[in-house]
Amino acid sequence: MKKISYLLAIALMATCSAGAQYNTLWIPDTLGGTNFNLTIRDTFRQMLPGQQTITGGINGSIWGPTLMFNRGDTVHMHVTNNLADTTTIHWHGFHLPAVMDGGPHQTIPPGTTWNPYWKVTNNAAMYWYHPHMHTMTEEQINMGLGGLIIVRDNTESALPLPRAYGVDDIPLILTDRRFDNTNQFVLSHYGDTMTTNFTIHAQYTVPAQVVRFRLLNVATERFYNIGFSDNRTFYVVGSDGGLLDTPVGVTRYTMGPGERIEILANFNGQNGQSIDIMAFNSTFNNAIPGGEPVNFPVADFQNALGQRDFMILHVNVGPQTANAITSIPSTLTTNVFWNTATATVNRSLSFNTVQGPPYPPGASLIDNTPFVMNVINKNVDLGATEIWTLNNTTNVAHPFHIHDVEFHIIDRNGSPAPAYEQGWKDILWVPSNSTAKFIAKFEDYCDSIYPYMYHCHIAFHEDAGMMGQFTVGCTPTAVKDLNNIAGLDIHPNPASDKLYVGFKDNRPIYELDIIDIRGKTLYKYPMPQKGSGLDISKLPAGIYVLRVQDMNGNIKLEKFVRE
Ligand code: C2O
Ligand code: CU
Ligand code: CU
């Protein structure tokens, strides 16, 4: 069965390239401001001619809106899960409290709303959000769930860079999918069909000037070797967590899953011409995921795009816009990275291959230890600067990702990383049989209960256990005082609009849930802000329970009435 659909896909690919039937690149809508409502649901979308594809969508029919944040704002998210399964939404790349992070511990059960908020301190760059439900991440991302986040700040805004979204500043979400013969997504390591912004065989018209493309590799496993069909030089201006000091001219860039780059391409004077952005994956070998040849001996890894060059976007150059940017800036910013002399902790992590059950073929682990929900693998002190050495002993590259921080790559196999990797990063892909080192500082947020994750961003590896968790410890360590928990102040009660809740002794609330009389959690508020009140206006009239937890894990249950 697998074999048949794979051959069909090859036939389909051949038809596409011969007929050059292009579809217009879909550009996700944007949402701005400081309050964001995101509703996750099962839906469907016309991906291929004929039957529609069952997808996961956030506010729309696939993927989600692009959220526009300004550095310095406090953003409030209201994430409602209307899927049949529990999920989470992780804010990939953001520096925020662990309880707002959206990792595997911040579950959003079906029919409930999660309300995290945080102050945006990240640099201007493109980040993203996606499900992080342990053992279901690959499946939920494969449905098309996720979204982009663009952060703007004063440094970036002052530069002569293109920033008209969808005009000269174009997001490119790269992933491939396998379809069955009823046009449904198949969960597989690799797809046979490339999609860009979930558009198959995409084309787009850009103005004849400098254009910025913001690329995200959202494939669950495949790497892409990005370049242009005429081998022109393009300029990397940004990495995962911010701008580079200066644009770096390249003709190729290899992106692992989860990675972002911002590039500039100059189409000045090229009105009327066409050019393709390509994945030059024929240069890969099978030590890079997606570099397995089409006839690779392990059937699970066979796919129609394996070790081939294929198109990402057909670019048509149109007329120049008013106020066009027509040259590549020579400098961007001055990044100050952590000094290795200030590091107080050195850690080494190794990536190992594991053989046989319970692990699926091709599975790897970090330090031979599978992820376990209630085991904390590492403790980091608040304020510590640390050097992490990643040693990949497996026969394939892994894109390592860590939550909470953006880091700086110190070296790859003892040599400095290439200039285009000398910016803020949260993904570091480590080739087979090599090492890489990064430095990071763990500031601002500590948590006595919830950890952050580090993992391989190949979703299949992560789900199979190639993940660990660390807490950023608060000092002194919290002590439980189970016998001495204060009551709650709840007013007004009954209430119909806003409800104000606090501990009688004013201790901070760590997490507050609103539960109905059947025991279902309807709303989750991590660290609700004092004084702002909870919006209960959408609750039907009735009796509800407040489950309120303090910083030490003590829990108080009390009733209130929605009239
Ligand atoms: Cu993009 Cu832990 O994830
Ligand atoms: Cu992340
Ligand atoms: Cu991996």
Side-chain angles (χ1 to χ4, degrees):
M1 195 59 212
K2 199 164 258 168
K3 195 85 184 178
I4 292 167
S5 60
Y6 145 76
L7 289 172
L8 274 176
I10 290 180
L12 182 70
M13 273 222 337
T15 332
C16 280
S17 38
Q21 287 298 321
Y22 295 116
N23 302 301
T24 302
L25 181 77
W26 172 66
I27 306 280
D29 289 345
T30 60
L31 283 182
T34 54
N35 267 282
F36 297 88
N37 292 306
L38 301 174
T39 303
I40 312 167
R41 56 176 189 163
D42 294 300
T43 174
F44 44 83
R45 184 179 180 86
Q46 196 78 50
M47 296 290 299
L48 289 167
Q51 198 156 325
Q52 303 202 67
T53 304
I54 297 168
T55 53
I58 301 174
N59 300 3
S61 69
I62 200 162
W63 196 243
T66 300
L67 314 183
M68 301 301 221
F69 289 179
N70 292 311
R71 183 177 176 155
D73 281 357
T74 295
V75 291
H76 294 257
M77 319 304 291
H78 310 286
V79 186
T80 299
N81 175 15
N82 285 341
L83 301 172
D85 290 314
T86 298
T87 190
T88 81
I89 290 291
H90 166 57
W91 318 104
H92 180 126
F94 281 92
H95 179 51
L96 38 60
V99 74
M100 315 287 181
D101 189 46
H105 297 276
Q106 283 81 48
T107 51
I108 318 172
T112 71
T113 301
W114 179 51
N115 298 273
Y117 64 93
W118 69 94
K119 182 171 177 182
V120 179
T121 59
N122 282 69
N123 294 320
M126 188 173 80
Y127 304 85
W128 63 302
Y129 55 99
H130 64 81
H132 213 307
M133 181 69 202
H134 187 49
T135 73
M136 294 183 75
T137 297
E138 184 186 21
E139 182 187 326
Q140 294 186 343
I141 290 179
N142 194 65
M143 292 170 67
L145 291 173
L148 301 175
I149 302 176
I150 292 177
V151 174
R152 304 207 188 276
D153 68 14
N154 294 338
T155 311
E156 190 271 342
S157 298
L159 290 167
L161 288 171
R163 59 175 67 80
Y165 182 81
V167 179
D168 63 3
D169 181 356
I170 297 160
L172 297 178
I173 305 148
L174 311 181
T175 185
D176 42 84
R177 283 293 181 281
R178 175 165 292 170
F179 292 92
D180 70 11
N181 52 16
T182 62
N183 293 351
Q184 303 311 310
F185 290 145
V186 175
L187 193 63
S188 59
H189 293 278
Y190 303 120
D192 304 303
T193 305
M194 182 63 200
T195 80
T196 303
N197 300 1
F198 298 93
T199 309
I200 296 168
H201 224 67
Q203 71 171 350
Y204 204 65
T205 301
V206 303
Q209 61 206 53
V210 173
V211 173
R212 180 187 202 164
F213 294 99
R214 304 185 193 237
L215 288 78
L216 162 66
N217 179 350
V218 73
T220 55
E221 191 148 353
R222 189 187 303 278
F223 284 54
Y224 299 104
N225 187 14
I226 306 297
F228 284 78
S229 52
D230 62 357
N231 292 320
R232 70 175 59 200
T233 297
F234 57 94
Y235 299 86
V236 184
V237 292
S239 53
D240 300 329
L243 293 166
L244 301 182
D245 285 359
T246 54
V248 179
V250 296
T251 56
R252 296 288 185 273
Y253 187 106
T254 300
M255 291 183 84
E259 253 191 309
R260 288 89 66 209
I261 47 169
E262 293 186 25
I263 63 170
L264 300 180
N266 197 344
F267 301 106
N268 212 357
Q270 292 163 26
N271 188 2
Q273 297 180 21
S274 292
I275 188 174
D276 289 347
I277 302 180
M278 299 287 297
F280 288 103
N281 283 17
S282 68
T283 58
F284 287 168
N285 60 34
N286 56 21
I288 305 282
E292 296 86 343
V294 168
N295 59 355
F296 192 67
V298 185
D300 258 12
F301 293 91
Q302 291 178 353
N303 68 96
L305 301 175
Q307 211 179 81
R308 292 190 165 192
D309 297 341
F310 51 89
M311 194 196 79
I312 282 175
L313 181 69
H314 182 69
V315 177
N316 301 307
V317 184
Q320 199 172 83
T321 63
N323 308 315
I325 306 284
T326 53
S327 63
I328 308 290
S330 53
T331 62
L332 298 165
T333 187
T334 308
N335 286 301
V336 182
F337 299 108
W338 314 124
N339 183 335
T340 52
T342 64
T344 52
V345 178
N346 283 275
R347 299 181 195 266
S348 280
L349 281 70
S350 68
F351 307 162
N352 330 94
T353 307
V354 283
Q355 300 293 355
Y359 302 103
S364 303
L365 295 178
I366 297 173
D367 291 335
N368 268 309
T369 309
F371 176 78
V372 177
M373 271 303 267
N374 57 4
V375 173
I376 305 295
N377 306 87
K378 304 202 181 301
N379 297 292
V380 171
D381 289 334
L382 182 64
T385 302
E386 300 201 356
I387 294 173
W388 290 34
T389 302
L390 311 173
N391 182 13
N392 182 0
T393 71
T394 76
N395 58 12
V396 70
H398 299 273
F400 180 87
H401 170 56
I402 184 168
H403 293 203
D404 182 31
V405 293
E406 292 288 332
F407 56 74
H408 185 237
I409 304 176
I410 301 172
D411 72 56
R412 286 180 168 281
N413 274 334
S415 311
Y420 53 76
E421 280 188 333
Q422 296 283 351
W424 293 105
K425 296 282 296 162
D426 57 54
I427 300 257
L428 167 49
W429 71 268
V430 187
S432 167
N433 292 313
S434 75
T435 62
K437 279 194 174 84
F438 69 80
I439 185 166
K441 188 169 186 186
F442 298 82
E443 300 177 286
D444 306 318
Y445 305 115
C446 68
D447 194 312
S448 51
I449 300 174
Y450 288 114
Y452 296 102
M453 305 295 125
Y454 56 87
H455 58 94
C456 174
H457 218 291
I458 291 175
F460 161 71
H461 291 180
E462 171 191 336
D463 280 343
M466 194 177 184
M467 178 155 73
Q469 40 192 353
F470 67 98
T471 52
V472 176
C474 308
T475 38
T477 315
V479 182
K480 289 208 180 213
D481 54 354
L482 285 169
N483 301 319
N484 187 24
I485 174 124
L488 300 176
D489 243 337
I490 304 169
H491 68 92
N493 189 8
S496 55
D497 178 27
K498 285 241 162 157
L499 185 71
Y500 296 85
V501 181
F503 279 108
K504 284 211 165 96
D505 62 1
N506 282 326
R507 72 179 72 193
I509 294 180
Y510 193 60
E511 209 171 325
L512 184 157
D513 296 345
I514 297 178
I515 301 171
D516 71 11
I517 44 170
R518 272 168 277 132
K520 182 177 181 184
T521 300
L522 302 177
Y523 290 95
K524 291 168 86 80
Y525 294 92
M527 299 167 76
Q529 280 170 316
K530 240 191 212 151
S532 64
L534 314 171
D535 179 4
I536 56 152
S537 61
K538 290 194 188 70
L539 283 178
I543 298 170
Y544 295 88
V545 175
L546 290 165
R547 179 187 180 279
V548 186
Q549 184 176 322
D550 73 4
M551 299 294 290
N552 300 340
N554 300 307
I555 291 164
K556 195 81 193 164
L557 300 172
E558 272 182 42
K559 274 186 246 165
F560 77 94
V561 177
R562 163 74 167 90
E563 60 180 359

